[in-house]
Amino acid sequence: MRLGLLLMAAIVLGLSAGGSLAQPRTSDPTPGMAPRLPSTPVIGDELPGLGGPPGGPSNDNAPHAPDLLVAVFRPGTPDATSSAFAESLNLTIERQYELSGLRLRVFLMRIPAGGNVDTMLPRAAADGRALWVQPDFSYQSLDDSSGAVSKQYALTRIRAESLPLAARGQGITVALIDSGVARTHESLNHDKVTLIDLVDAKETPPPETHGTAIASIIAGSGKVKGLAPAANLIAIRAFTEADPKTGASTSDSFHVSQGISSALDRKARIINMSIGGPNDPLVRMATEQAVLTGVIVIAAAGNAGPDAPPVYPAAQRGVIAVTATDDKDRLFSGANQGDYIAVAAPGVAVLAAKPGREPGASAYDYFTGTSMATGYVTGLAAILLSADPKLTSVDIRRIMETSATDLGAPKKDPKFGWGRIDAAAAFSASPTVGAAN
């Protein structure tokens, strides 16, 4: 506990001033940490007190909303201060929340007509009342359309059929930060799915393709078999669907970070983020909060190709970054590559659930992307935790990496990480199960 508090203090008080946690060696299985990569400065990282954005700068050149900015205030800041800040700059407060654990107050503010975020940020940063200000960066779901392959090969490829029948992820709470999930889909156990809508605040969010597909990969229990069908799934809608056919969805800094905070408030043991975006200070801080409180954070490595820069939060320290393979263990051609890749899982032409054309109807399709692979790794993490709830996030990562089927260059490589996950081998390698055997 004392070590955790010291690490938390390092984030809040020191990382923006150049501090960082120790970097792992890439020649050995990574002990729960992925490397942080450099980027350009963010406006507001020289502020006193807490010191501004966590863990170093971000990339203000990444895609972001032209008429929105995010302002982050210290814990306990009075409403009058944030209101006066907005009023003095002619900004309108759209939404707000308190970041779980750190109690930072996060505001989404709209810039008046005729203004833009690039000219407003220097003025807002110079004001001094906010801890930091930043653009409202854009995020996307990481999937792609694809042709079908026969059968549901993914579970066979990762040897899920060799798991004990009782290994179903029971008792483990998994948070899925994504687009809306069709809770009543015939391949989902609706009693195990809790819906939260951060976009429209609806009691029943709209059923959307990407979120439903990932939910079925993690916890499917019907025609689509998920790896952890007994897990408790908190489906947090932080994304809005842009294309129902492919499931392409979009979000922003405010909603993604709020999704992570909501997952922490609800005591999730695992967070699945089949999403990607820039090295964003706000999302980075929320993710670090999750990692340092022992939550297992699993994210998609990206679908922008082998020459693309790292995708976040997958490339962030402490996150398990997942790439995608096909039914013959070949790397997905569109996958990002880099030292931050931890493991691979099936993600090419994967059968998954999707909402039907009529309200309440169920349908299915084949999907491709590192998003889908991330769902299988999340399911495996739930199974391992269910078998031994005392396992830490570092334990889970080490078990997955050391039990993976090595692909590509020997040991860890920038394409496959430590290799494609093997569910049966990972289960047998867990301390409790291994000792029992």
Side-chain angles (χ1 to χ4, degrees):
M1 177 65 71
R2 184 178 180 183
L3 177 59
L5 292 174
L6 289 173
L7 289 172
M8 187 65 66
I11 280 184
V12 176
L13 296 173
L15 290 182
S16 63
S20 63
L21 299 178
Q23 293 288 343
R25 295 186 302 168
T26 57
S27 57
D28 297 319
T30 313
M33 299 294 178
R36 186 186 313 285
L37 299 167
S39 56
T40 57
V42 64
I43 294 174
D45 61 348
E46 298 297 333
L47 296 177
L50 292 180
S58 71
N59 185 358
D60 286 355
N61 296 320
H64 54 265
D67 58 349
L68 293 170
L69 66 78
V70 175
V72 181
F73 291 82
R74 295 171 176 78
T77 300
D79 288 338
T81 300
S82 54
S83 296
F85 170 86
E87 184 177 355
S88 65
L89 294 169
N90 198 23
L91 300 170
T92 303
I93 297 176
E94 296 271 313
R95 296 191 178 190
Q96 60 177 290
Y97 76 93
E98 186 176 279
L99 181 61
S100 180
L102 297 179
R103 297 180 54 242
L104 293 174
R105 303 197 65 194
V106 183
F107 291 80
L108 183 66
M109 299 187 179
R110 185 168 297 280
I111 299 167
N116 65 76
V117 68
D118 296 323
T119 57
M120 180 60 70
L121 278 173
R123 293 177 56 199
D127 179 279
R129 281 174 284 192
L131 177 59
W132 84 81
V133 293
Q134 66 171 73
D136 190 29
F137 291 110
S138 302
Y139 285 77
Q140 298 178 342
S141 58
L142 295 177
D143 57 1
D144 196 2
S145 58
S146 175
V149 297
S150 61
K151 301 181 181 180
Q152 195 177 350
Y153 78 89
L155 295 179
T156 300
R157 178 57 63 181
I158 64 175
R159 296 207 303 141
E161 72 277 2
S162 296
L163 289 168
L165 294 177
R168 296 167 51 83
Q170 56 270 24
I172 301 304
T173 299
V174 177
L176 171 63
I177 300 174
D178 215 292
S179 60
V181 170
R183 182 173 181 263
T184 58
H185 195 286
E186 63 185 10
S187 278
L188 291 174
N189 182 353
H190 66 275
D191 290 335
K192 292 286 186 179
V193 180
T194 300
L195 302 180
I196 299 173
D197 188 356
L198 300 181
V199 177
D200 297 317
K202 293 182 178 179
E203 184 174 342
T204 303
E208 294 171 312
T209 300
H210 192 269
T212 302
I214 305 303
S216 70
I217 289 171
I218 296 171
S221 58
K223 294 180 181 179
V224 168
K225 306 295 183 184
L227 202 49
N232 300 311
L233 190 67
I234 303 176
I236 301 173
R237 183 181 181 238
F239 282 70
T240 303
E241 187 166 81
D243 185 348
K245 182 177 180 180
T246 65
S249 305
T250 59
S251 186
D252 54 30
S253 303
F254 183 88
H255 287 95
V256 172
S257 60
Q258 187 182 18
I260 298 170
S261 185
S262 296
L264 297 181
D265 287 339
R266 288 159 179 81
K267 309 302 181 185
R269 294 292 307 274
I270 305 168
I271 296 177
N272 183 105
M273 290 194 279
S274 294
I275 64 175
N279 192 3
D280 176 342
L282 179 57
V283 173
R284 186 170 64 234
M285 173 167 272
T287 303
E288 285 177 341
Q289 167 74 354
V291 170
L292 289 179
T293 52
V295 176
I296 301 165
V297 182
I298 304 172
N303 301 337
D307 298 323
V311 165
Y312 289 81
Q316 184 170 331
R317 183 187 303 273
V319 176
I320 299 176
V322 184
T323 192
T325 51
D326 65 11
D327 60 327
K328 294 181 174 59
D329 275 344
R330 296 171 301 198
L331 187 68
F332 167 44
S333 61
N336 287 40
Q337 296 180 20
D339 290 339
Y340 67 100
I341 308 298
V343 291
V348 176
V350 168
L351 180 65
K354 74 174 186 179
R357 293 184 178 180
E358 301 298 325
S362 299
Y364 302 87
D365 209 339
Y366 290 87
F367 299 90
T368 291
T370 54
S371 275
M372 288 67 219
T374 302
Y376 286 111
V377 175
T378 295
L380 178 54
I383 287 176
L384 295 174
L385 271 183
S386 181
D388 186 355
K390 294 182 180 179
L391 290 174
T392 67
S393 58
V394 174
D395 294 332
I396 295 292
R397 179 170 187 149
R398 184 180 294 113
I399 290 169
M400 287 187 183
E401 291 178 340
T402 56
S403 64
T405 299
D406 196 6
L407 304 174
K411 296 188 176 182
K412 190 177 189 295
D413 66 74
K415 294 183 178 181
F416 299 95
W418 286 97
R420 190 251 308 134
I421 59 168
D422 183 322
F427 191 81
S428 296
S430 64
T432 300
V433 176
N437 289 340

